[in-house]
Amino acid sequence: MFIALWEFFYGHFFRFWMKWLLRQMTGKCELQRIFDTYVGAQRTHRIENSLTYSKNKVLQKATLVVQSEVDRCVEDIMKEKNINPEKDASFKICMKACLLQISGYKQLYLDVESVRKKPYDSDNLQHEKLLIKLWNLLMPTKKLKARISKQWADIGFQGDDPKTDFRGMGILGLINLVYFSENYTSEAHQILSRSNHPKLGYSYAIVGINLTEMAYSLLKSEALKFHLYNFVPGIPTMEHFHQFYCFRSPMLPMGLSAPRILVPSLAVACVSSSQLTA
């Protein structure tokens, strides 16, 4: 109750007067002060909040701008805030970078959601090729005897036909599995081998699909913003989402790192090399 009241009074009264006082003292608007004080994700996050909660319609709409309109939007913001580009040459560059990240995140979610909504279709030749590609990447020395086969259990699918396991995440789950297996094949083989441990094993493919759901949920809830704002200086893309699905491998020697699938990070599925070899 107290927090809700504070947010109401701060948003409607205190924030306005605080911004006015600071502008009189520094000669700079809130956006300029943020650029002077913060970097990385904190900077973009605070700029986004400042624009969102502004009473100025031009600033409010800036968070919804499409990438092709970013340059004009920056000009409009500078005009509204009376920012002289000669006195503050860095403002235009910084604001453009922030708006590209903000609009890029929104577009990334739409792109990921579009792929997630596409169900796996066994009549779609591209889908079928992608599934077979996953098998060949993970089991290069073992031939798949039939499209409908109990062999799929060897890489962690639940039934004879993997398409039923993609219902929740659609084709996105398969794309992530193939992305990791293709780009980090050695790590994928090691993790698949660990998944077959008699006591500590797990279903490789199913856990991978569950991790796609986790990554998607984090993206949808905007919990990925700080990560992407920190590590992607420009526009986040599907490639960055796939990279988030991957992480650092605990199987590599200390001092070395490579992106890895998040499977070993789950408490149930993750076990150290010493535990597996004990």
Side-chain angles (χ1 to χ4, degrees), residues 18-232:
M18 186 179 296
K19 287 172 59 179
W20 179 84
L21 180 61
L22 288 172
R23 176 140 198 174
Q24 300 306 309
M25 294 173 61
T26 64
K28 294 183 177 182
C29 70
E30 183 179 44
L31 298 175
Q32 290 174 298
R33 296 195 300 272
I34 291 173
F35 288 137
D36 289 345
T37 308
Y38 301 96
V39 295
Q42 284 198 7
R43 168 185 285 182
T44 305
H45 181 67
R46 286 175 180 271
I47 288 294
E48 187 172 12
N49 282 342
S50 179
L51 296 173
T52 300
Y53 295 111
S54 174
K55 294 182 179 181
N56 186 302
K57 297 299 182 182
V58 173
L59 270 62
Q60 286 181 8
K61 292 179 180 179
T63 60
L64 304 175
V65 68
V66 295
Q67 293 169 17
S68 60
E69 298 293 327
V70 165
D71 285 327
R72 190 174 71 177
C73 183
V74 173
E75 296 289 347
D76 291 341
I77 291 173
M78 294 179 71
K79 182 178 179 180
E80 287 291 321
K81 304 305 290 183
N82 296 317
I83 297 173
N84 188 331
E86 294 181 359
K87 293 182 178 180
D88 192 348
S90 64
F91 182 90
K92 186 174 183 178
I93 298 172
C94 294
M95 180 56 72
K96 180 178 180 178
C98 287
L99 290 183
L100 285 175
Q101 287 186 313
I102 294 167
S103 62
Y105 189 95
K106 295 179 188 298
Q107 186 59 50
L108 174 60
Y109 169 70
L110 294 177
D111 292 343
V112 171
E113 178 70 356
S114 176
V115 177
R116 186 193 70 84
K117 285 183 175 180
K118 293 179 182 177
Y120 183 93
D121 183 3
S122 56
D123 293 326
N124 186 312
L125 184 59
Q126 295 302 318
H127 291 189
E128 288 288 286
K129 285 183 176 180
L130 203 58
L131 182 60
I132 299 303
K133 183 177 183 179
L134 177 65
W135 174 271
N136 291 333
L137 285 167
L138 293 175
M139 307 291 283
T141 62
K142 193 172 183 180
K143 186 177 180 180
L144 184 65
K145 296 178 181 178
R147 168 61 179 78
I148 308 296
S149 171
K150 294 187 181 297
Q151 285 181 285
W152 290 111
D154 294 345
I155 59 174
F157 286 104
Q158 292 178 326
D160 296 348
D161 189 349
K163 74 174 185 179
T164 59
D165 292 325
F166 294 118
R167 284 173 295 189
M169 287 291 105
I171 195 66
L172 181 64
L174 177 57
I175 290 173
N176 273 343
L177 284 169
V178 171
Y179 180 91
F180 173 71
S181 301
E182 184 173 30
N183 289 278
Y184 309 106
T185 308
S186 177
E187 289 81 7
H189 287 170
Q190 292 182 61
I191 295 171
L192 177 61
S193 177
R194 292 183 175 194
S195 74
N196 294 318
H197 190 273
K199 292 183 179 180
L200 303 170
Y202 47 89
S203 299
Y204 177 93
I206 298 303
V207 173
I209 294 170
N210 288 340
L211 289 167
T212 293
E213 182 176 10
M214 182 190 74
Y216 164 77
S217 297
L218 290 171
L219 179 69
K220 183 179 180 180
S221 68
E222 301 187 348
L224 270 189
K225 277 188 174 180
F226 263 80
H227 170 76
L228 292 177
Y229 287 171
N230 263 328
F231 293 102
V232 183

